[in-house]
Every structure is written in structure tokens, then in C-alpha cells.
Amino acid sequence: MNTYDFQPGPIHVLRLEAGMDVVDAITGYATARGIDAAWFSYLGAVSRASLRYYDQVGHAYRDFAIDRHLEVLSGVGNVSILDGAPFVHTHAAFGDAAGNAFGGHLNRGCVVFSIEVSLQELIGDPPVRHPDPATGLNLWCLTPPGEPAR
Ligand code: ZN
């Protein structure tokens, strides 16, 4: 297990507006405010969802889109560092008019109808994503530079 103890930072509350891209909006906010470590949640609605599913055997993403109006039942995500810049990783569950639920890892292309976000900064050395051969994913390295792995 790779762990690191952060201190709680400020809580930012955002209202994303119609037509914004969910991932781009949160990434842009984090970048503009210099936030490199955070955890967030959100709810609201989108006019389109663009998602992906990770094939754990094939180590490849399968992208798909749902081109209709959906509620955001529950969204969660975090901000860390990838390639030297703030990187947003977020998953969400969406619901349709019949109460059916869908979900996945958000790609760019999720179009906001209205979304409310609560994002809490984490104070400490930001997590940095590095390629992980076992999973094929870019995963956090939380151990500060110069310290042995915990
Ligand atoms: Zn994901």
C-alpha cells in the first residue's frame, strides 16, 4: 500500500454552466488556482455523457458515449499530477428518465447541463502519477522524494 497523510485544505464550491465540458472545467479551475492535490464530488445533469471502461485483462480502455439527457446521480474524483500538470480523474453514475443507471470513467465530451461541485484541496506533497506495469495505468506515487516506500 502506498500512503501519504495530507492536511485538509480549503473547500471550493463551483457551479458548472451549460455547455461546459466536465473534465475540462474542473481541470481548468485546478490549473488556474494552482491546485495540484484535491478530492471532489458533484451532482447535477449532463446533456451527453462520454465515458470509458478499463479492460483489466487487455489493459485497454473501451470508450462509449450516451447521447441523451442524464442526471448525474453521483460524481467523484481527484486531482493529482501527471506529466507535470494538474490531472483530473473522475468517475460518475448517471440516471435516465426511467431510472436506469449508467456510469464509468469520464472522458472529455461530457456536456454540462448544470453541475454543482465541492472540491477540497489536500495540503502536502501532491500525488504524482507514474506508469504502473502491473495494471497498465498511471497510478499515484505518494511517497515523498527521498523517502523509502512505506
Ligand atoms: Zn478512472
Side-chain angles (χ1 to χ4, degrees):
M1 189 181 304
N2 197 238
T3 68
Y4 182 81
D5 295 332
F6 290 92
Q7 295 300 310
I11 297 171
H12 304 251
V13 175
L14 324 173
R15 182 172 69 84
L16 308 188
E17 296 175 342
M20 298 179 97
D21 182 283
V22 176
V23 172
D24 282 346
I26 298 171
T27 301
Y29 184 82
T31 301
R33 299 295 293 261
I35 298 169
D36 50 18
W39 202 272
F40 59 85
S41 61
Y42 54 96
L43 56 82
V46 295
S47 52
R48 175 184 194 272
S50 178
L51 304 169
R52 58 181 19 183
Y53 170 86
Y54 191 66
D55 178 340
Q56 297 177 19
V57 176
H59 286 190
Y61 282 105
R62 297 179 188 166
D63 292 338
F64 60 101
I66 304 171
D67 275 309
R68 54 186 154 135
H69 298 172
L70 300 165
E71 300 279 350
V72 180
L73 307 177
S74 181
V76 65
N78 54 57
V79 178
S80 58
I81 296 295
L82 177 66
D83 297 329
F87 173 79
V88 165
H89 181 205
T90 178
H91 291 193
F94 299 91
D96 70 8
N100 298 305
F102 312 91
H105 171 118
L106 268 67
N107 273 338
R108 286 187 164 80
C110 284
V111 180
V112 172
F113 180 70
S114 179
I115 288 185
E116 300 164 343
V117 182
S118 174
L119 179 149
Q120 181 163 30
E121 281 187 60
L122 302 173
I123 305 302
D125 295 324
V128 177
R129 292 186 179 275
H130 294 284
D132 175 62
T135 61
L137 298 168
N138 289 311
L139 300 181
W140 289 342
C141 181
L142 296 169
T143 304
E147 288 189 18
R150 299 178 211 188

